[in-house]
Amino acid sequence: MRNTRALAVAGAAVAALGLSAPAAVAWDTPSNITALPSVIAPGGQLTITVDGCRGGGTATSNAFSPTRLSPVGGGKGNEGDRGGAGNGTARGTAVINSNARPGPYDITVDCNGRRMTKPHAFTVIGGVRGGIGGGSTTGATPTDMAIGGGLVAAAVVGGGVFWMRRRAERRI
């Protein structure tokens, strides 16, 4: 009976140690990359937050220049027990390139000698050009002109038919 209890206690201790070991290893591994806002226009500022990046690091993407990530807080003041450098969070602000094409972009973080990529972390949207009616193209295409011309011609023909019918009704 004593051997069974000792074996059960030893097994529970090994299980507890085994479950806590991956958490301790993951503490210095970058995880949970967050980019806010998730939809942004060229020239906007993107805030990147990475958990498990205790000493800071670097964030890179095709949409912005490499950005330094700094540890958040120091565990003092308003941070209290909610975070700071003790929780291994790092944050940085990136400025989206003015020539970034619309679409989704990945963020790659180098932190503590480890690398992590979050695919489709944020999306760049296309801007509009002011002063030309909000269009983002350089002008009307031949198809646009043909459609517009067809509508104008249909309106002229329809107006002429209506006018001719009204004129014919007055004669009767």
Side-chain angles (χ1 to χ4, degrees), residues 2-166:
R2 284 187 167 205
N3 290 339
T4 306
R5 284 186 187 167
L7 187 60
V9 169
V14 168
L17 181 63
L19 291 174
S20 66
V25 170
W27 192 259
D28 286 334
T29 302
S31 64
N32 193 29
I33 299 172
T34 306
L36 292 175
S38 61
V39 177
I40 190 166
Q45 290 188 347
L46 184 72
T47 300
I48 303 161
T49 306
V50 183
D51 293 335
C53 192
R54 208 181 281 237
T58 305
T60 57
S61 175
N62 291 334
F64 57 80
S65 300
T67 301
R68 177 84 179 121
L69 301 174
S70 301
V72 176
K76 298 178 183 175
N78 292 335
E79 290 292 319
D81 293 332
R82 290 182 288 140
N87 71 356
T89 300
R91 183 173 295 141
T93 302
V95 177
I96 304 299
N97 296 332
S98 60
N99 62 351
R101 293 187 170 269
Y105 285 89
D106 302 345
I107 293 179
T108 300
V109 173
D110 289 316
C111 207
N112 306 320
R114 307 237 175 158
R115 177 177 274 207
M116 179 182 176
T117 299
K118 180 174 184 180
H120 305 289
F122 65 98
T123 302
V124 174
I125 58 173
V128 295
R129 294 182 189 159
I132 59 170
S136 61
T137 61
T138 58
T141 65
T143 304
D144 295 335
M145 294 300 289
I147 291 170
L151 290 172
V152 168
V156 168
V157 170
V161 169
F162 179 75
W163 182 69
M164 294 297 284
R165 287 191 67 197
R166 296 280 297 181

